Amino acid sequence: MKISARNIFEGNISALTSGPVSAEVEIITAGGDKLVGTITQGSVASLGLAVGKPVVALIKASNVMVMTDGSGVKLSARNCLAGTVKKLLQGPVSAEVIIALPGGAEVFASITRDATNELGIKEGGPATAVIKASSVIIGVKS
Amino acid sequence: MKISARNIFEGNISALTSGPVSAEVEIITAGGDKLVGTITQGSVASLGLAVGKPVVALIKASNVMVMTDGSGVKLSARNCLAGTVKKLLQGPVSAEVIIALPGGAEVFASITRDATNELGIKEGGPATAVIKASSVIIGVKS
Amino acid sequence: MKISARNIFEGNISALTSGPVSAEVEIITAGGDKLVGTITQGSVASLGLAVGKPVVALIKASNVMVMTDGSGVKLSARNCLAGTVKKLLQGPVSAEVIIALPGGAEVFASITRDATNELGIKEGGPATAVIKASSVIIGVKS
């Protein structure tokens, strides 16, 4: 598979909750990170998802927010991955931030250049990737 | 909290609908705007959400569309916030648009440069921010 | 209607599944493509959606991923539209890709410049647009 999604994590399904339309999939990645994604129940059926099954989780960089200070607030976003800024690339309007996680994985975030300045994002500094569950795509090897 | 999400609105929960996996949260912001977000039922429980509770709604700029003429069409997007273009910043591919709402709030949108040209977006002109409920993150003070 | 969403497809609802909070809408477009979107049940009611009804599906370019090789993996993303790269526009950080579908429609994707290089995206080459159902907005003529 070759896809533009900058974030592709291998892992295994650790929990699965089904509703009439939506389903919630919890994954433990190879690096030990926990990811939660919401997909349609139709995809759960067509992919044959079940607890324990090996999967990949795909997340587009533009769906990743970067938080440099999480004090004082608890978020509904189910995925908050704390790490260190490995690389910052600034364009005139957009910017790309790569966050290295303790388990060895890296998270790519596309955010605005303004945000990188206001948050004081710099290489080597702490940062948390914040990802809403609805932004996660699940893939299985066919 | 310091986070790259360009849109952070303070408000109070005015309605809450729960399903087995998803939940819908309606918020009235300090500026009098109504926002609707869909989050996981798991987050409703972990954040202790209830009608009346003060919350913040976070929306990434890349999840905001800009509409300059809404005539003739009704959209499923639950959040349509009408205002005036306060600022337009164009890069070679991307552009950032800031829309000022009547209640005093501002909405940041990241769209393509092409779209700003085709829509004729200009500072001082009317514009509506269109945001799907699934793009809204809810936060509570901890 | 004038809106920044780069992707607007006309079609008719071919299937509709309702849950307590979410609903899944399947559309057959004028070009013969099938699109699946998840919206809130509240929008199904307010728009009066039903099988057979003519609608438009809107998708922001930043919610479209580009896949150049789908072998070996099956994705939960409900929308995978295979076509040919018609145009590639690269900025310093972002890039825009236009994919022409066999039925005549075009799909706009905003991805990172890095991704276009790594995937070897070039005009005339094959590419598949991958879109999560939660990124689709439904509109009806009013």
Side-chain angles (χ1 to χ4, degrees), chain A:
Chain A
M1 183 182 55
K2 285 177 112 177
I3 190 163
S4 63
R6 300 284 76 196
N7 299 292
I8 302 182
F9 302 101
E10 300 208 5
N12 289 76
I13 296 178
S14 49
L16 183 60
T17 310
S18 291
V21 172
S22 307
E24 183 179 302
V25 184
E26 186 189 281
I27 298 157
I28 303 294
T29 70
D33 299 302
K34 193 177 84 173
L35 288 173
V36 175
T38 46
I39 63 176
T40 61
Q41 184 58 27
S43 292
V44 171
S46 71
L47 299 181
L49 300 186
V51 172
K53 182 152 185 160
V55 293
V56 287
L58 291 82
I59 303 157
K60 207 171 186 304
S62 61
N63 286 326
V64 180
M65 279 151 281
V66 178
M67 184 166 68
T68 53
D69 174 12
S71 64
V73 172
K74 249 176 102 176
L75 298 178
S76 67
R78 300 296 295 276
N79 302 294
C80 295
L81 304 168
T84 304
V85 177
K86 188 184 169 183
K87 196 178 159 190
L88 169 62
L89 173 65
Q90 290 186 317
V93 173
S94 305
E96 189 176 275
V97 182
I98 303 178
I99 300 173
L101 303 182
E106 293 179 356
V107 185
F108 287 66
S110 290
I111 63 176
T112 60
R113 182 195 172 96
D114 284 357
T116 61
N117 293 334
E118 284 179 30
L119 296 182
I121 290 173
K122 58 171 188 286
E123 292 176 8
T128 296
V130 175
I131 305 152
K132 222 178 129 90
S134 58
S135 302
V136 178
I137 291 174
I138 305 294
V140 295
K141 294 201 171 137
S142 61

Side-chain angles (χ1 to χ4, degrees), chain A residues 65 67-77 79-80 128 130, chain B residues 1-3 5 7-11 43 46-49 53-59 137-142:
Chain A
M65 279 151 281
M67 184 166 68
T68 53
D69 174 12
S71 64
V73 172
K74 249 176 102 176
L75 298 178
S76 67
N79 302 294
C80 295
T128 296
V130 175
Chain B
M1 183 182 54
K2 285 177 114 175
I3 190 163
N7 299 292
I8 302 181
F9 302 101
E10 300 208 6
S43 292
S46 71
L47 298 181
L49 300 185
K53 183 153 184 159
V55 293
V56 286
L58 291 82
I59 303 158
I137 292 174
I138 305 294
V140 295
K141 295 202 169 136
S142 60

Side-chain angles (χ1 to χ4, degrees), chain C residues 104-137:
Chain C
E106 293 180 355
V107 185
F108 287 66
S110 291
I111 63 176
T112 60
R113 182 195 171 97
D114 285 356
T116 62
N117 293 333
E118 285 179 29
L119 296 183
I121 291 172
K122 57 172 186 287
E123 293 175 8
T128 297
V130 176
I131 305 152
K132 223 178 128 89
S134 58
S135 302
V136 178
I137 291 175

Side-chain angles (χ1 to χ4, degrees), chain C residues 13-71:
Chain C
I13 296 178
S14 50
L16 183 60
T17 310
S18 292
V21 172
S22 307
E24 184 179 300
V25 184
E26 187 190 278
I27 298 156
I28 304 294
T29 69
D33 299 302
K34 192 177 86 173
L35 288 173
V36 174
T38 46
I39 62 175
T40 61
Q41 184 57 27
S43 292
V44 171
S46 71
L47 298 182
L49 300 186
V51 172
K53 183 153 183 157
V55 293
V56 286
L58 292 81
I59 302 158
K60 207 172 187 303
S62 61
N63 286 327
V64 180
M65 279 152 282
V66 178
M67 184 166 67
T68 53
D69 173 14
S71 64

